[in-house]
């Protein structure tokens, strides 16, 4: 039943399809060593899927029923794992990209002894349960990643496979590529029609082929059914040929119930180490439900009491019982615990010998496992001399990376084809590339350090999540800030999973100039700040950039985006102004009022801080005591205690002005009712950045006028000015200067 196609072979037609397109009856065979007790366990998994969804009244039973044979085979035979040590470093990883079929995973975790019990399956999708509607990493033992948004898991799996190769190169550099290492393992993943319809899976799979990730096996559940029923209405390409074009090893299994054929395909996929493998597995969703198999009705809703009972009769289960699991079945499935312990026991002496013989790598291994930074690493951070001509913060970021790379071998990254623009590639560092993929410009090897994501921002975000999930490396990826839109779903998932990935988002404002409004971010800072758990850091100069990088790396429980300028920004004279160390607190007093007690506070981020400083000079010269606060990261500032926040923004000082080349959203909380917000309420234009700032009212003169207006409003109690928040821009409010 397994057709092991190569690029030159035509994909086989699915043998289970009749001439009318309806699936024929499957052929049920077992691999060598399996018995009818294994078949009973598989059917038990189907019954549990039906009963769990029926009990809660909602969920996705059909795919969990049809994937039960594959999932059982993976967890009982092919995945190298030890349920008694779920974090064993040499374990294989399993990614269920179609997270809606969470029961596919939950039943196998229950069978395998990961801590889930029958009551947990009964509590599916209910408050406080270990079995939420989609798998969540850190919530349920044995779940390797949070999935649900389709396609993301495919990207995660690619990232895990890349991380596995990189980590092996860090810890075991003496073992050549192609030779067996004690750190080698396989990433197994399942994808659905929906996963492969989402563009992110194409991006990630294309890169996986380029990277020749022979440690990655993806099984495509080709059931041809989605919520809107038959996928023929929207999804008709030959997926196998697509993956062959990507450079994958492709096989077909025409009958998902033919466990012997599935087993043979998985064996061939694991044996293929020179390229990633795809197994196209034809299944019948909802099998063997008499009336709802192969229909959209089996995809996303309970089958109904009558249909559940009818299906149980087909399977030989008592229709009057629910959650029926025989002692014999559970005892049989949990023998995987002993097999897992035995595999780990066989591996442990090899690891102990490696540890004894490789003291430096072993120390690094221990440090990376806990994401602990080495003592004194921050001493390598550069400091930058004052310079009114300045330096782009993207350039400063590149200098920071070059300085700390020798101290942090776990740090690696790249960009979405924008290395020179993002300054993400450290000179002299090898690229992460198969030997056959190296070029005159980019050389390296399979264990290299510079990542090339290609023009694939969405996949880059998801792949970085997979890298972070896999182990202790610290990964970053760069693109223009406006293109963070392409990767937003992956960024949100990184925040949800609390992953320490870093986004290098450059070209941060209209300050990028001539490329014009398609490339100039306006709403992006506010949109990113709205993601709970994401640190958004926009440094004002080179020294703030260095402290920002240090602080980002000191956090191992969250993602961060560092927002960097294309244009040069003055390097602040820290003998005249406050130390950049205040960056770590999110906001700090950069320039104090001459009297020590400000009449007005000007606050800003990034490239607009210099505008606030220039406005302060004018206000002070006119006799108005003025404080300037740099606010590189609102999230870090919110973490400070109230006394510090009140010290930076004294509650008694009501006159306040914020300046940021972006929409006003979010700044009202800082400036208060009497405050004024200078920003943009429109898109940019193509011109020199200096001209744009002038035309759009982002000038020191506009700040001075807004400050005087705010002082007057604060003294009179007038509060918010009529007409909105934004001062400046192409359209002027009544009373704006």
């Amino acid at each position: 039943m397994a057709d092991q196609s190569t690029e030159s072979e035509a994909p086989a037609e699915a043998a289970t399809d009749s001439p009318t397109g309806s699936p024929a009856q499957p052929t049920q065979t077992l691999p060598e060593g399996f018995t009818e007790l294994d078949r009973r366990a598989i059917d038990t998994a189907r019954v549990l899927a039906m009963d769990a969804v029926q009990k809660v009244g909602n969920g996705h039973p059909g795919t969990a029923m049809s994937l039960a044979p594959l999932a059982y085979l993976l967890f009982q035979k092919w995945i190298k794992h030890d349920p008694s040590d779920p974090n064993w470093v040499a374990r294989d990883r399993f990614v269920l990209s179609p997270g809606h079929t969470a029961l596919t995973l939950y039943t196998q975790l229950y069978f395998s002894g990961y801590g889930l019990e029958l009551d947990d399956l009964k509590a599916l999708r209910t408050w406080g349960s270990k079995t939420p509607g989609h798998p969540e990493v850190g919530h349920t033992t044995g779940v390797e990643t949070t999935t649900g948004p389709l396609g993301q898991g495919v990207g995660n799996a690619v990232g895990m496979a890349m991380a596995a190769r990189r980590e092996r190169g860090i810890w075991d550099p003496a073992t050549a590529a192609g030779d067996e290492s004690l750190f080698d393992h396989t990433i197994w993943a399942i994808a659905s029609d929906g996963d492969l319809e989402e563009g992110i899976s194409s991006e990630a799979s294309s890169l996986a082929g380029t990277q020749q990730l022979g440690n990655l096996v993806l099984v495509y559940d080709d059931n041809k059914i989605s919520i809107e029923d038959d996928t023929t209405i929207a999804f008709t390409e030959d997926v196998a040929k697509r993956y062959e074009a990507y450079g994958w090893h492709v096989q077909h299994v025409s009958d998902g119930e033919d466990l012997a054929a599935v087993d043979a395909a998985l064996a061939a996929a694991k044996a293929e180490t020179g390229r990633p493998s795809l197994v196209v597995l034809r299944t019948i969703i909802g099998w063997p439900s008499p009336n709802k198999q192969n229909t959209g009705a089996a995809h996303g809703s309970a089958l109904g009491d009558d249909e559940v009972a009818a299906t149980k009769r087909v399977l030989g289960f008592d229709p009057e019982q629910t959650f029926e699991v025989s002692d014999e079945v559970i005892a049989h499935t949990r023998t995987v615990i002993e097999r897992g312990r035995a595999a780990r026991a066989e591996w442990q002496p090899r690891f102990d010998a490696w540890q004894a013989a490789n003291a430096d790598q072993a120390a690094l291994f221990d440090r990376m496992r806990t994401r602990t930074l080495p003592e004194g690493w921050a001493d390598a951070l550069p400091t930058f001399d004052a310079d009114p001509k300045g330096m782009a913060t993207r350039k400063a970021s590149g200098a920071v990376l070059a300085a700390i790379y020798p101290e942090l071998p776990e740090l690696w990254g790249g960009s979405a084809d924008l290395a020179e623009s993002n300054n993400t590639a450290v000179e002299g560092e090898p690229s992460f590339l198969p030997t056959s993929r190296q070029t005159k410009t980019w050389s390296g090897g399979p264990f290299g350090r510079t990542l090339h994501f290609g023009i694939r921002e969405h996949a880059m975000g998801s792949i970085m999540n997979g890298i972070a999930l896999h182990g202790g490396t610290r990964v970053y990826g760069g693109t223009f800030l406006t293109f963070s839109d392409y990767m937003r779903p992956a960024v949100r998932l990184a925040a949800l999973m609390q992953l320490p990935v870093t986004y290098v988002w450059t070209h941060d404002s209209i300050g990028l100039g001539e490329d014009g409004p398609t490339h100039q971010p306006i709403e992006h800072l506010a949109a990113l700040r709205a993601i709970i758990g994401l640190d958004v850091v926009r440094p004002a100069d080179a020294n703030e950039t260095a402290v920002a990088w240090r602080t980002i790396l000191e956090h191992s429980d969250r993602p961060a985006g560092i927002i960097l300028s294309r244009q040069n920004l003055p390097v602040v004279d820290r003998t005249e102004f406050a130390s950049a160390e205040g960056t770590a607190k999110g906001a700090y007093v950069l320039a104090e009022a001459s009297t020590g007690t400000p009449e007005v506070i000007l606050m800003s981020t990034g490239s607009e801080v210099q505008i606030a400083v220039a406005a302060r000079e004018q206000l002070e010269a006119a006799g108005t005591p003025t404080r300037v606060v740099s606010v590189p990261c609102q999230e870090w500032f919110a973490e400070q205690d109230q006394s510090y926040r009140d010290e930076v923004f004294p509650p008694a000082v009501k006159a306040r002005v914020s300046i940021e080349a972006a929409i006003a959203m979010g700044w009202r909380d800082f400036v208060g009712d009497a405050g004024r917000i200078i920003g943009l309420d429109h898109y940019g234009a193509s011109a020199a950045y200096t001209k744009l700032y002038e035309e759009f009212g982002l000038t020191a003169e506009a700040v001075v006028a807004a400050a005087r207006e705010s002082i007057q409003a604060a003294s009179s109690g007038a509060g918010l000015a009529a007409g909105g928040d934004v001062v400046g821009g192409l359209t002027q409010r009544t009373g704006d200067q």
Side-chain angles (χ1 to χ4, degrees):
M1 286 288 183
D3 168 31
Q4 297 174 25
S5 301
T6 65
E7 295 87 353
S8 61
E9 296 174 347
E13 292 296 325
T16 54
D17 287 349
S18 71
T20 62
S22 300
Q25 293 297 306
T27 303
Q28 297 184 318
T29 62
L30 293 172
E32 185 177 354
F34 277 55
T35 69
E36 286 306 312
L37 185 55
D38 294 292
R39 176 68 67 191
R40 186 66 173 179
I42 291 168
D43 290 341
T44 298
R46 302 186 211 264
V47 169
L48 292 175
M50 289 189 296
D51 282 345
V53 174
Q54 196 66 26
K55 182 177 185 296
V56 73
N58 56 81
H60 299 77
T63 304
M65 295 167 68
S66 55
L67 282 182
L70 168 68
Y72 183 83
L73 188 59
L74 283 170
F75 274 81
Q76 291 292 317
K77 180 176 181 179
W78 284 107
I79 296 176
K80 179 178 65 176
H81 63 129
D82 178 5
S84 66
D85 185 6
N87 295 317
W88 177 29
V89 70
R91 73 190 185 280
D92 289 351
R93 308 301 200 269
F94 173 72
V95 175
L96 182 70
S97 194
H100 58 267
T101 184
L103 280 163
T104 297
L105 177 55
Y106 294 154
T107 54
Q108 298 308 319
L109 295 179
Y110 162 55
F111 281 173
S112 299
Y114 274 89
L116 286 186
E117 297 298 344
L118 203 54
D119 283 345
D120 296 307
L121 298 183
K122 293 177 181 179
L124 177 73
R125 299 169 73 98
T126 61
W127 177 263
S129 78
K130 296 179 183 178
T131 50
H134 293 80
E136 297 177 24
V137 68
H139 183 81
T140 307
T141 302
V143 173
E144 298 280 7
T145 180
T146 298
T147 54
L150 291 173
Q152 291 287 335
V154 176
N156 292 167
V158 172
M160 289 178 184
M162 293 169 66
R165 195 170 85 193
R166 170 65 183 159
E167 288 168 21
R168 176 218 161 130
I170 292 174
W171 296 330
D172 192 16
T175 301
D179 294 340
E180 184 181 359
S181 168
L182 78 162
F183 296 110
D184 287 342
H185 55 273
T186 303
I187 313 301
W188 304 88
I190 294 175
S192 64
D193 288 305
D195 289 293
L196 299 190
E197 289 176 46
E198 292 285 0
I200 183 174
S201 64
S202 297
E203 294 180 23
S205 299
S206 173
L207 183 58
T210 297
Q211 285 291 344
Q212 299 175 347
L213 298 176
N215 57 348
L216 174 62
V217 177
L218 178 66
V219 180
Y220 163 38
D221 176 28
D222 180 22
N223 65 37
K224 303 187 187 302
I225 294 292
S226 63
I227 292 175
E228 295 184 5
D229 204 73
D230 195 322
T231 57
T232 300
I233 61 174
F235 187 48
T236 57
E237 76 252 28
D238 190 322
V239 170
K241 286 184 178 178
R242 172 152 63 97
Y243 272 77
E244 288 169 3
Y246 291 151
W248 287 53
H249 171 239
V250 177
Q251 301 175 83
H252 300 257
V253 178
S254 58
D255 184 347
E257 295 296 317
D258 187 347
L259 215 60
V262 177
D263 183 60
L266 296 179
K270 184 169 174 62
E272 172 57 65
T273 59
R275 51 187 170 163
S277 287
L278 178 75
V279 177
V280 180
L281 180 67
R282 182 71 169 101
T283 65
I284 304 171
I285 194 169
W287 173 264
S289 166
N291 301 299
K292 293 191 176 180
Q293 62 174 278
N294 199 41
T295 68
H299 175 89
S301 59
L303 298 182
D305 290 334
D306 291 344
E307 190 67 12
V308 169
T311 308
K312 288 180 180 178
R313 291 188 188 98
V314 171
L315 292 171
F317 282 73
D318 184 350
E320 300 301 320
Q321 289 195 46
T322 60
F323 297 94
E324 181 182 350
V325 183
S326 72
D327 293 341
E328 187 181 20
V329 162
I330 199 66
H332 179 65
T333 62
R334 290 196 175 172
T335 58
V336 75
I337 299 174
E338 284 70 39
R339 294 194 297 275
R341 284 177 178 156
R344 184 163 55 89
E346 185 277 330
W347 174 86
Q348 191 65 45
R350 298 168 56 210
F351 176 78
D352 293 341
W354 167 83
Q355 198 171 37
N358 299 275
D360 290 344
Q361 276 81 24
L364 179 58
F365 173 89
D366 291 339
R367 189 168 62 72
M368 287 175 60
R369 292 282 284 164
T370 58
R371 288 204 172 102
T372 302
L373 296 169
E375 186 175 349
W377 75 275
D379 295 341
L381 286 165
T383 56
F384 301 89
D385 294 335
D387 182 358
K389 293 182 180 179
M391 173 188 291
T393 51
R394 63 170 176 163
K395 184 177 181 180
S397 173
V400 170
L401 290 172
I404 63 177
Y405 251 46
E407 309 300 319
L408 301 176
E410 64 266 42
L411 182 63
W412 62 321
S415 77
D417 199 54
L418 290 166
E420 293 182 4
S421 292
N422 296 148
N423 292 94
T424 50
V426 175
E427 186 175 355
E429 290 291 342
S431 290
F432 180 85
L433 284 171
T435 303
S436 63
R437 305 297 194 200
Q438 298 176 58
T439 67
K440 291 181 180 179
T441 303
W442 302 103
S443 62
F447 305 136
R449 197 167 182 182
T450 301
L451 287 165
H452 304 284
F453 294 101
I455 307 168
R456 303 182 180 98
E457 287 88 356
H458 198 177
M460 177 174 71
S462 183
I463 288 168
M464 287 196 294
N465 288 349
I467 289 171
L469 285 160
H470 185 272
T473 63
R474 295 296 297 267
V475 67
Y476 62 86
T479 188
F480 292 176
L481 178 58
T482 191
F483 301 140
S484 65
D485 284 344
Y486 283 134
M487 57 195 307
R488 186 179 179 88
V491 175
R492 182 179 186 272
L493 281 169
L496 181 63
M497 292 187 278
Q498 299 180 316
L499 301 179
V501 298
T502 304
Y503 312 105
V504 180
W505 286 319
T506 67
H507 296 59
D508 67 336
S509 69
I510 58 170
L512 67 87
E514 292 83 354
D515 275 345
T518 62
H519 283 50
Q520 292 166 0
I522 302 296
E523 73 279 16
H524 297 73
L525 290 170
L528 290 167
R529 287 170 181 149
I531 296 178
I532 300 165
L534 172 69
D535 293 340
V536 180
V537 193
R538 189 175 184 232
D541 77 341
N543 286 304
E544 279 198 8
T545 303
V547 177
W549 263 112
R550 185 195 73 202
T551 310
I552 287 169
L553 291 172
E554 287 173 342
H555 293 146
S556 62
D557 61 347
R558 70 192 77 169
I562 186 166
I563 317 296
L564 304 169
S565 73
R566 173 182 183 263
Q567 75 274 28
N568 287 345
L569 304 181
V571 180
V572 174
D573 186 347
R574 299 295 170 170
T575 64
E576 179 182 354
F577 296 93
S579 167
E581 282 297 316
T583 302
K585 293 188 174 181
Y588 67 104
V589 178
L590 176 66
E592 186 54 283
S594 55
T595 61
T597 302
E599 187 175 350
V600 63
I601 298 174
L602 310 180
M603 64 194 77
S604 191
T605 75
S607 51
E608 288 75 68
V609 169
Q610 62 180 313
I611 299 173
V613 170
R616 172 183 175 271
E617 293 178 1
Q618 295 183 29
L619 288 164
E620 287 279 358
T624 303
T626 304
R627 170 182 290 184
V628 172
V629 175
S630 178
V631 190
C633 182
Q634 294 181 8
E635 293 79 19
W636 294 346
F637 186 62
E639 292 179 344
Q640 307 308 311
D641 58 42
Q642 189 62 50
S643 62
Y644 177 78
R645 298 202 301 269
D646 288 346
E647 180 184 330
V648 175
F649 295 109
V653 182
K654 304 295 186 184
R656 303 178 182 186
V657 180
S658 70
I659 312 101
E660 190 171 65
I663 63 171
M665 187 180 295
W667 284 108
R668 180 56 59 191
D669 290 342
F670 284 83
V671 302
D673 287 351
R676 296 296 180 265
I677 300 171
I678 293 183
L680 296 171
D681 59 359
H682 55 81
Y683 295 113
S686 178
Y689 79 89
T690 50
K691 182 66 172 177
L692 294 176
Y693 273 80
E694 177 185 347
E695 290 293 333
F696 294 160
L698 295 166
T699 64
E701 290 72 25
V703 175
V704 169
R708 289 172 178 158
E709 183 182 325
S710 181
I711 291 169
Q712 182 179 3
S715 62
S716 65
L720 288 170
D725 286 340
V726 178
V727 177
L730 292 175
T731 57
Q732 299 290 317
R733 291 184 331 191
T734 302
D736 290 342
Q737 301 297 316

